[in-house]
Structure formats: C-alpha cells, structure tokens
Amino acid sequence: MTRPRAFLLAFLGFAVFIAIWEAAPALGIVPASVLPPPSDLPRAFMREFNSGIWFSSVLLSLRNYLAGLVIGCVLGVALGVATGMSVTLEALLAWVVRLLRPIPGLAWVPFAILWFGIDPSAAIFIIGIGVFWISYFAALSAVRAVERDLIELAEAFGFRSVHQKLIKVILPAATPGILAGIRTALGQAWMAVVAAEIFGVPGLGQRMMQASNLLASDIVVIYMATMAALYGIIDTVFVAIQSRLLRWKR
C-alpha cells in the first residue's frame, strides 16, 4: 500500500471515529455529561489552559515521567545485560525475579506512600518499577540472542576481556532489542503516571481525579487527550533517535 493511500485511510478512520463520538451524545445514545462531544472540548481546554492548571500539570507529570523512565530503564538495562552475560548471576536472581516480576505496579502504591510519603519521589518510584521489568527482560533477551560466532570472532581478533567483548560485540549487537524494549517502556511509563499520581501527587493523574470527582468529564477527556499527544510526541522523537542510532543496519 502506498504511503498517501495509507494516510488517507488513517484520516478517514479517524474522521469516522470523531463523527460517531459527536453523534452519540447528540442522538441521546450517551448523555453529554458522561461522554462530552468533541465540539465541547476546545472550550474546556481553553478554560483549563488559561487558568494555568493545564501547563503546570503537564510539567509536573513530565518531570515524574522522565525521571521514572530514565531510572527504571537504566537499572533494567544494566541488570539485564549483566544477567545475560553471567550464568551465575542469572541463577542467583532466578527466584527473586520469579517472586517480584508478577507484582503489578499498583501493588507498590502502599509501600511508595509509606517509604516516600505523598511526594513526587513516590510517583517516580512507581513509574520506575513499571518500566524496570520491561527494560530488564528486553536487555536480557537481546544479550542472549547475540550470536556466539560473533563473540568467538572478537576473541580471535584479541578482544578477550569481558569489557572489550561488551563494548565491541555484545552491546552493538543487542542494541536493537534493547531499544525495542525501551520503546515499549515509553508507553508503559505513561500508563503508570496516572496510577502514580492518583493518590495525591500533583500532575495529570491528580487533575483527572479532581475533575472526575466534580463530574467534569470534559476536563477528564482533555487530560486523556493530553497524555495521548505527549506520548505521540515522545514516541516520534524516540523513533527518530532509534533510526539514527541503528542507521548502520541499513
């Protein structure tokens, strides 16, 4: 399928979605108080923007998001690479990973409050937990997938130390898999933002809960759309960086 045709179909699908959304409250299928039509959203957004609440909430959530994302991904990738390179470390952590991996991020909320209080650091902790395992398993799988022939070839050319093999062979070969995991973590981190801020930490999640309690569904939709737009921008930037880093594969 050509790119213009794909774009046209995507635009058409989105237009139909918006039309159905607009028609549902107008026809009385769904009350406008429960699902506000898209035509009401610009006015709601301008009220929120002019009050300064929208901009402040975005900045606070971006701070929590980026801090949690970076901490979770760095620790996850580092431990995943180390575990993938060491059979001993993998065996040592096997039961610990099986114990902690199934625990969802929301289950850590009580401990986050106990350890950090109602503070941005608690939100950063929950977001970091949410992306840690994604990054860990992506890095672990990517390192395991490195062909043994490449490592043997590196050793034949004199790269025998662990550090040399890591820098010259393993990381370059594992980078595509690691970056794919980080891209998945970008979306997971946004889902964790609402869970992290829902218990009182200032940001988009807290503002959504405030609006929900006031039955201001139009404001809730505004912040849902804001999170979707921010994720789209961040994902687009990441894909551009990823393409640049992996241009050697073309």
Side-chain angles (χ1 to χ4, degrees):
M1 181 181 295
T2 62
R3 182 172 295 182
R5 179 177 172 80
F7 175 82
L8 182 61
L9 289 174
F11 178 80
L12 179 61
F14 185 73
V16 171
F17 169 75
I18 294 296
I20 294 173
W21 180 4
E22 183 72 32
L27 296 174
I29 300 173
V30 179
S33 59
V34 175
L35 182 65
S39 56
D40 288 352
L41 299 182
R43 291 191 299 272
F45 173 74
M46 290 310 301
R47 290 197 308 270
E48 197 74 1
F49 181 81
N50 290 333
S51 69
I53 297 175
W54 180 85
F55 189 69
S56 174
S57 298
V58 167
L59 289 181
L60 291 170
S61 285
L62 277 176
R63 177 196 62 188
N64 298 336
Y65 171 82
L66 292 174
L69 179 69
V70 170
I71 292 172
C73 285
V74 168
L75 293 178
V77 169
L79 187 60
V81 170
T83 305
M85 294 180 62
S86 172
V87 177
T88 302
L89 182 59
E90 182 179 0
L92 185 65
L93 296 178
W95 286 11
V96 177
V97 171
R98 289 183 181 181
L99 174 67
L100 296 180
R101 175 64 185 94
I103 301 175
L106 281 174
W108 291 99
V109 170
F111 288 102
I113 296 174
L114 288 173
W115 295 340
F116 303 101
I118 306 300
D119 187 82
S121 56
I124 292 170
F125 170 77
I126 295 170
I127 296 167
I129 287 289
V131 302
F132 172 83
W133 293 113
I134 296 173
S135 303
Y136 170 79
F137 282 110
L140 176 60
S141 299
V143 170
R144 282 178 174 173
V146 176
E147 295 182 12
R148 182 64 189 173
D149 291 344
L150 291 176
I151 299 175
E152 292 176 354
L153 184 63
E155 291 174 346
F157 278 92
F159 300 114
R160 291 187 171 83
S161 70
V162 173
H163 179 265
Q164 287 177 324
K165 286 187 284 190
L166 174 66
I167 298 300
K168 297 294 185 179
V169 180
I170 295 175
L171 281 183
T175 294
I178 293 173
L179 291 178
I182 293 176
R183 188 181 180 188
T184 303
L186 294 178
Q188 180 64 37
W190 267 125
M191 289 188 280
V193 164
V194 176
E197 295 175 348
I198 208 170
F199 57 85
V201 176
L204 297 173
Q206 184 196 57
R207 183 57 181 156
M208 287 176 66
M209 286 303 300
Q210 292 173 344
S212 177
N213 291 335
L214 296 173
L215 302 180
S217 56
D218 52 351
I219 301 299
V220 175
V221 175
I222 289 298
Y223 283 100
M224 291 172 65
T226 296
M227 295 183 74
L230 289 173
Y231 169 70
I233 293 170
I234 292 172
D235 184 64
T236 300
V237 172
F238 181 82
V239 168
I241 295 173
Q242 183 181 35
S243 298
R244 186 172 183 83
L245 290 175
L246 300 180
R247 63 185 183 275
W248 56 270
K249 292 187 65 179
R250 298 172 187 170

